[in-house]
Amino acid sequence: MSARTRRLTTAQALVRFLSAQYTERDGVRRRLIAGTWGIFGHGNVAGLGQALVEHADVMPFHQGRNEQSMVHAAVGHARQLNRLSAQAVTTSIGPGATNLVTGAALATINRLPVLLLPGDYFASHAADPLLQQLEHPVEADVSVNDTLRPVSRYFDRITRPEALIPSALNAMRVLADPAETGAVTLALPQDVQAEAYDWPEEFFAERVWHVRRPAPDPVELAAAVEAVRSAERPLVIAGGGVHHSEAEQALQAFVDATGIPVASTQAGKGSLRHDHPADLGGIGHTGTAVSDDLARTADLVIGVGTRYTDFTTASGTLFQHPDVRFLNLNITGFDAHKLAARTLVCDARTGLDLLREALSGHRVREEYVAEYRAGKDRWDEVVEAAYRAADDNAVPTQTQVLGALDAIVGDDDVVINAAGSLPGDLHKLWRSRSPRQYHLEYGYSCMGYEIPAAIGVQQAAPGTPVWALVGDGTYLMMPTEIVTAVQEGLPLNVVLIQNHGYASIGGLSQETGGERFGTAYRFRAADGTFTGAPLPVDLAANAASLGMDVLRAKTVRELREALAAARACGRPTCVYVETDPAPTAPPAEAWWDVPVAETASREAAVEARERYERQVADRRRHL
């Protein structure tokens, strides 16, 4: 071996390479791949598995229980660190690899980095068909890993050792690029993983990937300034890009200088503290009354780091001013051009600072400021009413669970949720105290995300109290990583809310003519309907069997005591509470388009279609 090469297997070389990759932004450097999650099978145990043992001194390893969960944990880690650090996930071939697809879709949709390293068939085809190998009759190079192509921002299959060099570099480039990031997949044929090669020493040199902060084009900036100066009722919509860019202070400075109010998407909530005078809370279908009222009359909507999902736009029905215009500040041209907007393609922090400087001295009218502040005050009263319990000895409602949690968290606690009725309640009601406190995964709204994501957050921010809020339906999807939290000694807190079914989708089913069919956990009657008492399922006992301390709360008072005890415990702890199923959250302030059957014989569906046709008539195409 020459002085400039090192003989390693492909898997060993990949692990050494990953351990030497860093990101840098604003002078802060982090490990790009901070650790590797893995579940081993024949497709990776003798390749990557051996390599991780060989180089355990440079690559931390985390043992998972479910492949999808491992991706969720990695995504939680990346989001907590504003995409400046990621984790890798390795699986065998077959179901281990295909179990990655849901997590990969979540990562890419939310623009969050994760490196996927699934095993693959033999590149030599010497042993075809392998155990778990998909045999395609006309495309011999297809494997189950090709299901990851549409949900990956970069994909490659490493069929020769030397092919790893350009592919690994491209993978790091995408992971570290704020405009390109998402899931990256390097499919690794198991024979290639174990094959030795003389690698150039330069491949293992420490490499720093600078995370850029691109400035806006001067022509676009001038047009943006003119748009803001000519607007009478401007409104900022803060999206997840504010957090990813660490632009919260820049946003506050922009708002303080101009008086323009801020509403937030699920990903952008917390961009301003809840008690800032210009913070109006969530926007859209799950938004606050004050945000949605202002959105309907806004003549300029300034989107910062948002991709404008249907929940944000109320399926195209929210922005009703006849002359409404859009100005989108986004690091990707793809998102900046949505809604036929004027564009400001740049980093959020850089763009906000330059826009504020160029607008020097400009402020909205004081009448407008007084209007939205009065609306904010009215909504604060709604929040207080939803949180307040008239009787501390009563069974709590879901919103009272949030009120009890609100009363005991500190500024740095992190609250995690993803699906069900909780996202709507949280978006309307939660009072975010810091930029990373509100952690909602709503781009993919993936049931089962919360518990593994809480593990990833705790790995990224040791010592931070983390709360995974889950309903019974979500808990049953994916409780397995509780064992991982116990194994790793991570004191995450799970608030497990039992309401005996899918509360959110049950309400939607009723609204759209589905009559709540198939949405409750009940015994099946002889006629096929679901009726009678709830199923005798004890989810608290299940959590205890997986190693958690469990605190059962039956009343509002017991709930407050249990939450305080959990926060002080220092061990993985579950607070289990059965809630009053009656809805107590404020109703939706804006519509959401879920198409209803155009023809039906049942009265519920006919009435739902009539409502649907009235609501869909308000949709606009912004051109």
Side-chain angles (χ1 to χ4, degrees):
M1 184 176 68
S2 75
R4 295 189 58 79
T5 62
R6 191 185 311 185
R7 192 161 184 81
L8 298 170
T9 68
T10 303
Q12 291 165 356
L14 177 58
V15 172
R16 293 299 305 190
F17 169 83
L18 295 177
S19 70
Q21 308 303 302
Y22 294 84
T23 63
E24 181 276 327
R25 185 172 71 181
D26 303 330
V28 177
R29 194 169 79 157
R30 295 185 182 275
R31 277 276 295 260
L32 177 50
I33 304 300
T36 298
W37 287 89
I39 296 175
F40 294 113
H42 69 94
N44 64 343
V45 66
L48 269 171
Q50 190 283 326
L52 288 164
V53 173
E54 187 92 6
H55 301 296
D57 58 325
V58 295
M59 180 57 68
F61 175 75
H62 311 291
Q63 183 181 15
R65 270 74 197 173
N66 175 283
E67 293 85 1
Q68 178 181 323
S69 288
M70 293 192 298
V71 185
H72 293 338
V75 167
H77 168 98
R79 178 171 174 173
Q80 182 67 21
L81 295 177
N82 296 317
R83 306 192 299 192
L84 298 175
S85 181
Q87 293 177 320
V89 178
T90 179
T91 71
S92 185
I93 69 172
T98 52
N99 279 352
L100 296 173
V101 175
T102 296
L106 181 150
T108 296
I109 285 170
N110 286 285
R111 279 57 162 182
L112 292 165
V114 62
L115 176 62
L116 308 180
L117 304 172
D120 215 321
Y121 56 58
F122 281 30
S124 66
H125 293 281
D128 287 3
L130 304 179
L131 173 67
Q132 300 178 322
Q133 181 178 349
L134 173 71
E135 291 185 279
H136 196 288
V138 296
E139 296 181 80
D141 63 339
V142 168
S143 82
V144 296
N145 286 327
D146 288 277
T147 60
L148 288 160
R149 288 183 184 269
V151 293
S152 296
R153 293 294 291 173
Y154 180 81
F155 178 99
D156 197 8
R157 179 175 286 114
I158 311 302
T159 57
R160 293 178 59 88
E162 59 267 36
L164 177 65
I165 295 174
S167 188
L169 291 168
N170 273 322
M172 299 303 103
R173 172 186 60 79
V174 173
L175 289 171
D177 189 334
E180 294 292 331
T181 198
V184 168
T185 300
L186 299 182
L188 301 170
Q190 53 189 299
D191 53 345
V192 178
Q193 288 182 49
E195 186 176 344
Y197 181 73
D198 292 331
W199 302 89
E201 283 288 349
E202 293 85 352
F203 186 56
F204 307 114
E206 186 176 289
R207 192 178 302 267
V208 179
W209 300 85
H210 177 69
V211 181
R212 62 181 65 91
R213 288 192 180 277
D217 178 86
V219 173
E220 288 193 339
L221 180 60
V225 170
E226 175 57 30
V228 176
R229 286 189 180 278
S230 62
E232 292 290 323
R233 300 179 64 83
L235 173 68
V236 169
I237 297 180
V242 175
H243 294 310
H244 299 327
S245 175
E246 298 176 337
E248 296 90 356
Q249 291 184 6
L251 177 63
Q252 180 173 333
F254 175 81
V255 168
D256 290 344
T258 63
I260 299 174
V262 176
S264 56
T265 69
Q266 287 280 17
K269 193 172 170 73
S271 294
L272 292 180
R273 268 187 64 100
H274 74 93
D275 52 3
H276 189 284
D279 180 65
L280 307 184
I283 191 168
H285 178 62
T286 53
T288 67
V290 58
S291 288
D292 287 350
D293 285 347
L294 258 67
R296 292 185 182 96
T297 61
D299 58 355
L300 179 67
V301 177
I302 307 170
V304 182
T306 178
R307 60 193 187 92
Y308 287 111
T309 68
D310 60 343
F311 260 57
T312 299
T313 68
S315 301
T317 65
L318 185 57
F319 308 110
Q320 289 297 323
H321 190 288
D323 299 316
V324 65
R325 296 167 297 159
F326 296 85
L327 168 63
N328 291 339
L329 192 164
N330 203 291
I331 201 163
T332 71
F334 177 82
D335 288 317
H337 280 275
K338 289 177 178 175
L339 302 176
R342 289 177 172 84
T343 60
L344 208 57
V345 180
C346 59
D347 169 73
R349 194 175 84 178
T350 301
L352 284 168
D353 282 342
L354 290 174
L355 188 58
R356 172 178 53 81
E357 292 168 6
L359 286 165
S360 179
H362 174 75
R363 281 188 64 84
V364 297
R365 293 178 299 106
E366 286 305 313
E367 294 87 349
Y368 184 48
V369 174
E371 177 188 343
Y372 70 67
R373 288 187 178 180
K376 176 181 173 64
D377 290 342
R378 289 192 297 272
W379 188 257
D380 287 343
E381 293 174 1
V382 172
V383 174
E384 286 294 336
Y387 280 0
R388 189 183 309 119
D391 181 359
D392 279 359
N393 295 314
V395 173
T397 65
Q398 183 164 280
T399 57
Q400 288 165 359
V401 172
L402 300 184
L405 184 60
D406 174 85
I408 67 102
V409 298
D411 284 5
D412 295 327
D413 290 40
V414 178
V415 175
I416 301 176
N417 187 239
S421 58
L422 274 167
D425 292 358
L426 285 160
H427 199 205
K428 293 187 188 82
L429 303 175
W430 188 259
R431 300 188 279 212
S432 298
R433 296 158 170 80
S434 60
R436 274 284 163 239
Q437 181 170 86
Y438 187 86
H439 184 126
L440 260 285
E441 187 292 297
Y442 216 57
Y444 208 43
S445 186
C446 187
M447 296 175 73
Y449 171 82
E450 296 90 339
I451 293 173
I455 291 173
V457 169
Q458 293 221 293
Q459 289 176 331
T464 298
V466 180
W467 302 86
L469 308 187
V470 297
D472 48 295
T474 289
Y475 181 86
L476 286 168
M477 287 276 183
M478 202 169 292
T480 51
E481 298 314 312
I482 287 174
V483 177
T484 303
V486 172
Q487 181 181 38
E488 300 247 346
L490 298 172
L492 67 88
N493 300 301
V494 174
V495 180
L496 176 50
I497 299 173
Q498 171 66 279
N499 56 25
H500 302 288
Y502 302 118
S504 174
I505 207 67
L508 181 62
S509 172
Q510 182 171 329
E511 175 68 20
T512 57
E515 302 177 50
R516 294 186 178 266
F517 177 75
T519 63
Y521 297 150
R522 305 280 174 171
F523 287 103
R524 185 188 291 272
D527 63 359
T529 60
F530 294 90
T531 186
L535 299 177
V537 176
D538 191 341
L539 300 183
N542 178 264
S545 76
L546 297 177
M548 295 199 97
D549 291 350
V550 175
L551 304 173
R552 296 175 184 256
K554 294 182 179 180
T555 67
V556 173
R557 177 179 288 105
E558 290 177 1
L559 175 63
R560 292 198 195 101
E561 294 169 353
L563 292 171
R567 192 172 186 273
C569 179
R571 272 187 39 79
T573 303
C574 173
V575 175
Y576 175 86
V577 57
E578 188 160 351
T579 56
D580 183 336
T584 54
E589 297 289 339
W591 186 57
W592 181 43
D593 188 352
V594 177
V596 176
E598 191 169 357
T599 62
S601 59
R602 297 181 68 87
E603 183 178 351
V606 172
E607 292 177 352
R609 181 67 192 191
E610 292 173 354
R611 290 194 300 272
Y612 177 83
E613 290 177 352
R614 289 195 300 270
Q615 291 162 325
V616 77
D618 290 332
R619 175 177 284 144
R620 293 180 61 184
R621 297 281 188 182
H622 298 286
L623 299 172

